[in-house]
Amino acid sequence: MNLSSVRATLAAALEDAGIDYSTSAYPPPVVIPPTVVIVPGSPWLQPEVIGTPAAPRVLVTFRLTCCVAHLDNQAALNQLEDLMFGVMTNLPRGWEVSDAGPPSLEQVGPSELLVADLQVSTLTSPS
């Protein structure tokens, strides 16, 4: 499995749940919130030897930046939390959330966004 198909599996799960997403570098040139930006996490790739060395697996990590418009503090925080829980409950089978960051304000173009990151990972075979 290659990395683009791993990312596509994650993106398809978000799309099936009705969650808008982008796979561009963060911040994308245009953000229409609420949205989730999928970028490589840290560490991005981590070899895992499970079973025999002839059949290695790789832990792949992505950072999902959840973005909502910051128009009203409480409403934006509620919307961000709903988006984050929507992502977590709709992750494909075999994916795990390893970390969730605190919300922060980001200026993207003329828009002020409330954002928070989720770190998600899955084990896959490099072949």
Side-chain angles (χ1 to χ4, degrees):
M1 181 173 273
N2 62 34
L3 290 177
S4 64
S5 64
V6 173
R7 188 173 37 255
T9 300
L10 178 58
L14 296 178
E15 187 172 33
D16 289 348
I19 298 171
D20 288 330
Y21 68 90
S22 169
T23 56
S24 64
Y26 184 80
V30 176
V31 174
I32 301 172
T35 192
V36 176
V37 182
I38 304 170
V39 295
S42 179
W44 186 18
L45 303 173
Q46 188 174 1
E48 299 279 329
V49 177
I50 298 174
T52 65
R57 296 184 75 183
V58 176
L59 183 67
V60 180
T61 303
F62 288 99
R63 179 177 49 132
L64 307 181
T65 301
C66 300
C67 309
V68 299
H70 184 254
L71 303 173
D72 171 89
N73 247 2
Q74 192 59 47
L77 184 57
N78 288 340
Q79 189 178 24
L80 181 63
E81 290 168 346
D82 288 346
L83 179 59
M84 292 174 73
F85 281 112
V87 169
M88 286 188 270
T89 58
N90 288 289
L91 287 174
R93 192 168 151 211
W95 287 77
E96 294 184 6
V97 177
S98 58
D99 189 25
S104 64
L105 291 175
E106 297 282 334
Q107 189 76 31
V108 179
S111 303
E112 191 169 65
L113 303 176
L114 187 63
V115 302
D117 292 336
L118 291 173
Q119 196 91 326
V120 299
S121 58
T122 189
L123 277 171
T124 188
S125 298
S127 58

